[in-house]
Amino acid sequence: MELQLDLYGPLFLHTLSYWWVIVPSIFLGLLVGAIPGFSAANTIIILLPLTLVMDVEVGLIFMVALYCSSRMGAGIPAILVNIPGTAGAAATPLDGYPMTKAGRGQQALAMSFVASSLGGLLTTVLALMTMPWLAQVGYYMHSVEMIVVMLFGISLIASIAARDTLKGLIAGFFGLMIGSIGADHVYATPRGTMGFLELYDGVPLIPALVGLFAVSEAFLIIEAQSILSRHSRDLLKTAGWSATLEGARIALARWWHITWNSIIGLVIGVIPGAGASIASFVAYQQSRTYSKTPEAYGTGHPEGLIAPESANNGVTAGTLIPLLILGIPGGATAAIMLVVMQYHGVIMGPHLFSDRPDLGYGVFMAMAVTYLIMSFTILPLSRYMSKVTLVSTAYMAPIIIAFTLVGSFVPREYMFDMALGLVFGVIGYIARKTGYHVAAILIGVILGPLLEQYFLRALKMSEGDISVLFSSSLGNVLWVALFVTVLTPFALDYKRRRRAAHG
Amino acid sequence: MAIPGTPTRRAFLKGSAAAAGAAGLASHPLAFALAEAFPSRNVNVVVPTREGGGADRNLRAFTGVWKKYLKTNFEPGFYPGASGRVGYEVYMGKRKADCYNLIFGNMGPELLNWVVQKPTFDINDYVYFGRVDTDPGCVFVGAKSPFKSIDDIVAEGKKRKLNVGTSRLAHPASIGILALGEHTGAQFNLIPLSGGKNTVAGAVTGEMDFSVLTSGTVAARGDAVRTLLVFNDKNLLGERLDNAPTMNDHFGTSLPPMLSSRAFAIHTAAIEKYPDRFKVLADTFKQVFTDPEYKPVVVKAKGNWEYINYGGIEECKAYAKDIFEIGERFKPYLTGKS
Amino acid sequence: MNETGGKKSIGGDFVIPVAALVFTLYYFSTIIESPWTAQVAAFFIGAILIALTLLFLVKSAIAIGRGQADLGMNAVIAPTGLLATRLGLLAITAAYLVLIEWGGFTLTTFGFLLAAMLLLNRGQRAGFITLFALAVSLGGYLIFILAFETRFPRGPFEELIQAAMQAGI
């Protein structure tokens, strides 16, 4: 597969001529991304009859645009009302929501949009240039390596626990334990399911997400008339276009941060089975570890918002690479795209770029064009979206409860999941009232089962020999990196204290 | 999300079937006469796998044609979870046994699952009465694998234990490879990878030495993979499965075909209570296979026409008996209690 | 964590660790006879969790013993003036989940929004709230049932609309 540079110019203009598909897809994507329970994958399934009758090129552009914009959409409620639209945006509220509470929601949205678009655009271009090599990542990142990547994400629990270590760790391990509910990954024996068949496949993510963040939030915000203080309200009410520009400027000034974190997203996205939630946790954790002001994270620090948002948009390009080059989808949305393309008689895999270069390169061009169009159409909306937070909590709380519980029903269509959302809501409420971080619980619920799955796979392959964890060179390099990452904050802290003592 | 003028998901199912129905109805007076009494409303189908997957496509194609003989709409509901048990226990179990409720399952994996883990319902509460297809398991490697034939694998398996990716332990394809190990003395270590997508990825990325899966899925992956052995009496897909030999031909064994087999099941009580209704279901079900419109629909949905294979209650029973027997034989391995 | 008269009320702080402890012990009981693959990760994580919770309990017990803390539940129920409203909202939410099976999505959502908003507004602006709840639940019907065709329980309202549509009205 060679790069065909002369192809790009005409292909770009050709893709741009499909703006009439891209623009509505962007708005649809923003909407489904923002409602917990909906995602690009299940929206494409819902619209399958439509996608199947579309021309193959239109269908592909539609799916790609929807995929990219839903990623951005998921960040909007995360920032404004502390409710991540998908698990991929679960790290976004950590710093996004405190900004909103301080009356800087408009700036936060602008930052997120710029980080998402720029990160997405950058990784698309990078993916296009490095595809043949990046596709090889899948050949090296096996179970053992993935265990270490998961641990990067899980070590975020320790960072979050910084303020009250014991409570933070209890929350994180409680999350990991809840994440272990379900049939074991090898012999499928049910564990901790309390007799509910609906829990055999593990705790469904959306009800956990919705309960821990949204429902508990609804029960908390009714303590005041508004989620904003009087000062924040005044700030938001008087904010003009300058606030959007300020947010964009803050993000652009951190272009290096966007670049670095979107590349983390791209690489994690390329690994089959990994996904946006892992990428955003790892990015947040990396960003915090190597920051000069780690203590500012969690209080509305711009970098704490930019890191996960650029990473989860970097994942988008990444998941498509194994699909296009190897014919194996990197995530749920990519898997559905495979089905649609098969229906049109397009075989994804090594021969795609020689058989149908227009489609192979077209996918990335569609992404690039989508991100470009998005940056012009969505950024101005931040001013209006942020006003949502001015709504009185007496109206907002019931709407949050109703629509997020409805959202927990959507992915599996089980009434059980709505009740589970409420149970997690109660757990989340008590946790937040008593100083246990819900994000730590959620990290455990999301990453715990994935970690166990890779861990068991590695152990089963080595027939129980634990030394398998240190059997690969790449794995060992990653172990060292993990070790350094975990120890760095202590080292930096020590250095700072010494300097303070001497200074 | 219904854009005006475009078919929605469920309307699409009904619409395509309605179009097919208009053509064939008049020529089948029997179906027409009986249909006046039954069915008088839509037939619900519980699908114990996720929407958009293989069963979904298979069901769309089949009910699209069946509908014109049964003269009613099908309303599918997708309830995946716990290897299909949620569909059976939580949903089908609560539905009325009145012949208006069917379940569209996958006999092989479901029956094996029940062998290794006894479900809370009595398996005799349901009867498979209509087999739609039979999709044999196969052995395959990634395009870059050093293994060029099944003999390479067996030879290597005698030197070291090979890691074999499979979608889950209790699966006909897993049984096939265990039987091969038993016959040749090669050592295989089955690694369940939860689902076909990961199983293909395991072979392609080289984390597994090779993988086993239903061959229909493998054939759809084109050049990314190479098939080396099929667990059936004949390699029906030929070139599309790289002309791989069958186990019985190549090794002289007499293993029954290791099939995934999609089939409709119904409450046993419904058959006893409403034999007339059941007869309408069973008769019209069979008519689909001889309908000239069925093949193009299957081919259009990228199904393998060679695997479409009618079976009634008796065929399903015989198949279940085979699977139960072989499942019992390998039960210790499949439950980790060997 | 509330402070009353110099003492910290830490009763509420126990809820999560105790829940975690009880759940972990229950979880262990379900895997005691399972193959090793089902046990290894859970025993590892569970053991750490048990150790952490025990450490927490001991630390808290010492604090209580020294008179620095008591078992008050203030942290969970504060502000107490809002307790009744909060429990009311919880009850309405639970009722919503129970009734939706019979009442169908649209009607029950309308009822839930109406009841919850009236509760939180202390019965004021009833007219506006009724209209608002109506608009939101109808919007929900349009998005979730008509457009996305999700399988929410159908009730009298959904049946009526469907019948009307089929009759060509």
Side-chain angles (χ1 to χ4, degrees):
Chain A
M1 202 185 81
E2 285 174 29
L3 289 179
Q4 302 182 357
L5 287 171
D6 54 329
L7 190 85
Y8 293 162
L11 189 61
F12 176 76
L13 293 175
H14 176 70
T15 313
L16 204 57
S17 73
Y18 282 107
W19 62 270
W20 54 277
V21 182
I22 298 176
V23 173
S25 308
I26 287 177
F27 285 98
L28 176 61
L30 279 181
L31 179 72
V32 297
I35 309 175
F38 285 96
S39 63
N42 62 23
T43 306
I44 295 174
I45 294 176
I46 288 165
L47 297 178
L48 212 51
L50 180 65
T51 328
L52 296 181
V53 296
M54 281 177 184
D55 173 63
V56 57
E57 208 175 5
V58 175
L60 196 65
I61 290 175
F62 160 74
M63 290 190 290
V64 168
L66 187 78
Y67 187 23
C68 298
S69 56
S70 70
R71 204 63 107 197
M72 195 193 260
I76 299 170
I79 292 169
L80 294 181
V81 279
N82 201 16
I83 303 167
T86 61
T92 305
L94 290 176
D95 279 279
Y97 190 55
M99 278 189 224
T100 297
K101 285 196 120 174
R104 294 167 55 80
Q106 191 177 337
Q107 284 92 330
L109 282 181
M111 269 180 236
S112 147
F113 293 160
V114 170
S116 299
S117 307
L118 210 61
L121 193 60
L122 187 88
T123 43
T124 306
V125 175
L126 259 178
L128 204 52
M129 293 192 307
T130 57
M131 230 175 338
W133 299 284
L134 264 182
Q136 307 299 317
V137 169
Y139 288 105
Y140 299 100
M141 296 296 287
H142 293 160
S143 313
V144 171
E145 291 78 9
M146 284 312 292
I147 291 171
V148 195
V149 172
M150 294 294 153
L151 288 174
F152 269 102
I154 287 176
S155 69
L156 183 56
I157 291 174
S159 314
I160 288 177
R163 266 170 235 148
D164 186 336
T165 314
L166 192 52
K167 280 187 173 179
L169 291 179
I170 289 175
F173 276 87
F174 188 29
L176 286 168
M177 207 65 216
I178 294 173
S180 316
I181 291 176
D184 109 70
H185 299 279
V186 177
Y187 296 110
T189 38
R191 306 172 300 169
T193 57
M194 292 166 267
F196 294 111
L197 267 178
E198 290 91 339
L199 292 175
Y200 270 40
D201 296 326
V203 173
L205 287 189
I206 297 296
L209 185 87
V210 152
L212 289 173
F213 278 88
V215 178
S216 67
E217 183 72 22
F219 279 90
L220 281 173
I221 58 175
I222 58 172
E223 285 174 17
Q225 278 235 309
S226 165
I227 57 173
L228 308 176
S229 65
R230 181 174 291 273
H231 173 68
S232 304
R233 281 172 83 87
D234 293 343
L235 214 61
L236 183 64
K237 274 184 185 161
T238 53
W241 289 111
S242 59
T244 298
L245 291 177
E246 190 199 337
R249 193 185 50 73
I250 292 173
L252 287 173
R254 288 162 175 78
W255 62 274
W256 175 244
H257 210 72
I258 296 176
T259 308
W260 167 233
N261 285 294
S262 59
I263 292 175
I264 291 183
L266 177 68
V267 174
I268 291 182
V270 173
I271 305 162
S277 53
I278 302 167
S280 46
F281 286 135
V282 171
Y284 188 92
Q285 190 265 356
Q286 287 294 299
S287 169
R288 188 183 184 280
T289 303
Y290 295 102
S291 166
K292 290 198 179 92
T293 53
E295 69 285 350
Y297 281 69
T299 62
H301 190 47
E303 281 157 30
L305 171 62
I306 289 170
E309 283 295 281
S310 37
N312 66 33
N313 280 278
V315 168
T316 315
T319 55
L320 295 178
I321 291 177
L323 174 68
L324 297 171
I325 309 269
L326 308 175
I328 50 177
T333 312
I336 298 297
M337 288 188 185
L338 177 77
V339 172
V340 175
M341 288 294 107
Q342 268 177 1
Y343 188 85
H344 283 291
V346 179
I347 304 274
M348 298 290 197
H351 294 289
L352 179 70
F353 286 84
S354 46
D355 294 347
R356 296 291 303 265
D358 56 323
L359 291 182
Y361 293 108
V363 166
F364 289 100
M365 203 48 91
M367 286 186 101
V369 172
T370 301
Y371 277 117
L372 269 182
I373 294 184
M374 255 194 322
S375 47
F376 295 112
T377 48
I378 307 304
L379 195 58
L381 291 181
S382 60
R383 181 173 175 185
Y384 306 102
M385 289 177 181
S386 59
K387 301 289 191 282
V388 165
T389 52
L390 292 171
V391 175
S392 158
T393 57
Y395 303 107
M396 201 194 271
I399 291 182
I400 288 178
I401 295 176
F403 279 77
T404 54
L405 287 183
V406 160
S408 27
F409 172 85
V410 171
R412 309 199 301 177
E413 303 195 324
Y414 293 165
M415 287 303 298
F416 175 87
D417 289 356
M418 286 178 87
L420 192 63
L422 183 59
V423 170
F424 271 108
V426 174
I427 295 177
Y429 169 80
I430 296 172
R432 288 161 77 156
K433 275 293 213 178
T434 53
Y436 295 88
H437 214 303
V438 285
I441 303 180
L442 190 69
I443 293 170
V445 176
I446 294 179
L447 299 187
L450 292 168
L451 176 69
E452 188 187 21
Q453 188 179 327
Y454 288 115
F455 180 64
L456 281 183
R457 192 180 298 172
L459 275 191
K460 180 89 171 55
M461 287 177 72
S462 68
E463 299 195 285
D465 180 3
I466 199 91
S467 70
V468 68
L469 298 180
F470 308 101
S471 62
S472 100
S473 346
L474 177 59
N476 291 343
V477 171
L478 288 171
W479 276 118
V480 172
L482 177 68
F483 198 60
V484 170
T485 300
V486 172
L487 288 186
T488 301
F490 294 106
L492 290 178
D493 198 36
Y494 175 72
K495 220 167 110 183
R496 228 173 281 138
R497 259 190 246 158
R498 253 180 62 148
R499 201 173 296 158
H502 287 285
Chain B
M1 222 43 54
I3 298 166
T6 55
T8 60
R9 167 180 47 155
R10 278 151 196 150
F12 175 79
L13 256 179
K14 294 166 200 166
S16 61
L25 202 74
S27 58
H28 296 280
L30 174 71
F32 190 64
L34 283 170
E36 283 181 345
F38 170 85
S40 61
R41 55 188 159 91
N42 291 351
V43 171
N44 295 307
V45 185
V46 171
V47 187
T49 48
R50 76 185 162 78
E51 187 164 15
D56 185 1
R57 275 177 285 165
N58 212 314
L59 181 73
R60 278 170 201 251
F62 193 86
T63 52
V65 182
W66 191 3
K67 198 195 131 151
K68 75 179 183 187
Y69 296 105
L70 200 57
K71 209 195 163 196
T72 194
N73 288 321
F74 288 89
E75 294 247 2
F78 298 85
Y79 304 103
S83 313
R85 287 177 56 185
V86 172
Y88 277 85
E89 296 180 35
V90 183
Y91 289 88
M92 190 64 178
K94 285 184 191 158
R95 300 263 165 102
K96 266 193 183 161
D98 58 1
C99 289
Y100 282 101
N101 289 299
L102 306 179
I103 187 159
F104 186 58
N106 190 340
M107 286 198 283
E110 279 166 14
L111 291 167
L112 274 177
N113 197 301
W114 297 340
V115 173
V116 294
Q117 258 174 52
K118 213 170 145 35
T120 50
F121 60 89
D122 180 352
I123 52 174
N124 295 316
D125 285 351
Y126 306 102
V127 178
Y128 291 106
F129 72 93
R131 180 180 72 195
V132 173
D133 68 353
T134 46
D135 185 344
C138 72
V139 171
F140 68 100
V141 292
K144 288 186 173 177
S145 166
F147 298 124
K148 303 292 178 208
S149 74
I150 191 66
D151 296 324
D152 293 349
I153 286 183
V154 170
E156 185 70 16
K158 285 177 180 167
K159 287 184 221 152
R160 66 179 173 97
K161 205 168 197 173
L162 299 182
N163 285 319
V164 186
T166 178
S167 65
R168 55 183 177 211
L169 285 187
H171 190 283
S174 310
I175 303 272
I177 201 67
L178 290 177
L180 179 68
E182 212 177 57
H183 179 74
T184 59
Q187 301 260 318
F188 300 124
N189 182 19
L190 276 169
I191 314 290
L193 300 175
S194 344
K197 195 175 85 184
N198 295 337
T199 310
V200 173
V204 171
T205 63
E207 176 160 29
M208 302 296 139
D209 290 301
F210 65 95
S211 285
V212 292
L213 199 60
T214 46
S215 55
T217 317
V218 176
R221 294 309 162 93
D223 289 344
V225 294
R226 199 163 57 234
T227 307
L228 302 182
L229 189 73
V230 181
F231 299 117
N232 199 7
D233 296 329
K234 194 169 177 241
N235 178 351
L236 293 169
L237 298 189
E239 184 76 14
R240 272 175 288 157
L241 287 179
D242 306 291
N243 292 318
T246 69
M247 174 154 159
N248 290 348
D249 275 352
H250 198 75
F251 294 100
T253 50
S254 56
L255 185 74
M258 286 294 116
L259 308 167
S260 271
S261 182
R262 303 210 193 274
F264 286 91
I266 192 168
H267 300 101
T268 314
I271 302 180
E272 288 160 3
K273 229 157 129 190
Y274 302 100
D276 294 348
R277 291 182 183 182
F278 178 67
K279 188 171 174 349
V280 176
L281 282 175
D283 290 347
T284 52
F285 173 82
K286 192 173 182 181
Q287 281 173 304
V288 176
F289 293 85
T290 48
D291 189 306
E293 283 171 28
Y294 184 38
K295 183 173 176 181
V297 183
V298 172
V299 174
K300 178 102 179 67
K302 299 289 151 196
N304 295 303
W305 177 249
E306 295 83 347
Y307 288 164
I308 298 298
N309 186 2
Y310 165 78
I313 271 194
E314 291 311 315
E315 288 88 346
C316 293
K317 263 189 193 156
Y319 172 79
K321 191 169 157 277
D322 277 352
I323 285 283
F324 273 130
E325 271 173 23
I326 204 151
E328 285 295 341
R329 198 168 113 209
F330 289 101
K331 189 172 175 178
Y333 186 93
L334 300 178
T335 51
K337 287 171 183 155
S338 50
Chain C
M1 209 170 299
N2 265 21
E3 301 210 13
T4 44
K7 270 189 184 182
K8 276 186 188 170
S9 286
I10 57 168
D13 294 25
F14 284 108
V15 181
I16 295 291
V18 169
L21 191 64
V22 170
F23 175 70
T24 306
L25 293 176
Y26 157 72
Y27 191 101
F28 282 0
S29 74
T30 64
I31 54 171
I32 213 85
E33 288 182 22
S34 301
W36 67 271
T37 52
Q39 296 173 332
V40 55
F43 277 144
F44 181 68
I45 291 167
I48 297 177
L49 182 55
I50 289 175
L52 288 169
T53 51
L54 289 181
L55 183 65
F56 181 81
L57 295 180
V58 169
K59 258 181 79 172
S60 307
I62 293 173
I64 293 170
R66 285 187 185 153
Q68 296 162 332
D70 63 40
L71 279 172
M73 292 295 281
N74 258 357
V76 181
I77 53 177
T80 37
L82 206 66
L83 184 63
T85 311
R86 199 173 263 144
L87 288 176
L89 186 60
L90 183 64
I92 294 173
T93 310
Y96 173 50
L97 297 184
V98 173
L99 294 177
I100 197 168
E101 296 239 38
W102 292 282
F105 170 79
T106 319
L107 272 184
T108 328
T109 304
F110 168 70
F112 167 75
L113 291 175
L114 185 69
M117 286 178 187
L118 280 176
L119 174 78
L120 296 178
N121 269 303
R122 296 172 202 292
Q124 288 167 355
R125 305 185 71 188
F128 169 75
I129 287 175
T130 310
L131 286 178
F132 187 60
L134 196 65
V136 173
S137 49
L138 281 178
Y141 169 76
L142 291 176
I143 295 177
F144 294 114
I145 296 189
L146 273 191
F148 280 111
E149 300 190 329
T150 44
R151 266 166 214 287
F152 272 106
R154 307 292 205 251
F157 176 79
E158 288 82 5
E159 302 289 345
L160 189 73
I161 297 281
Q162 201 177 359
M165 278 186 187
Q166 276 171 356
I169 299 169

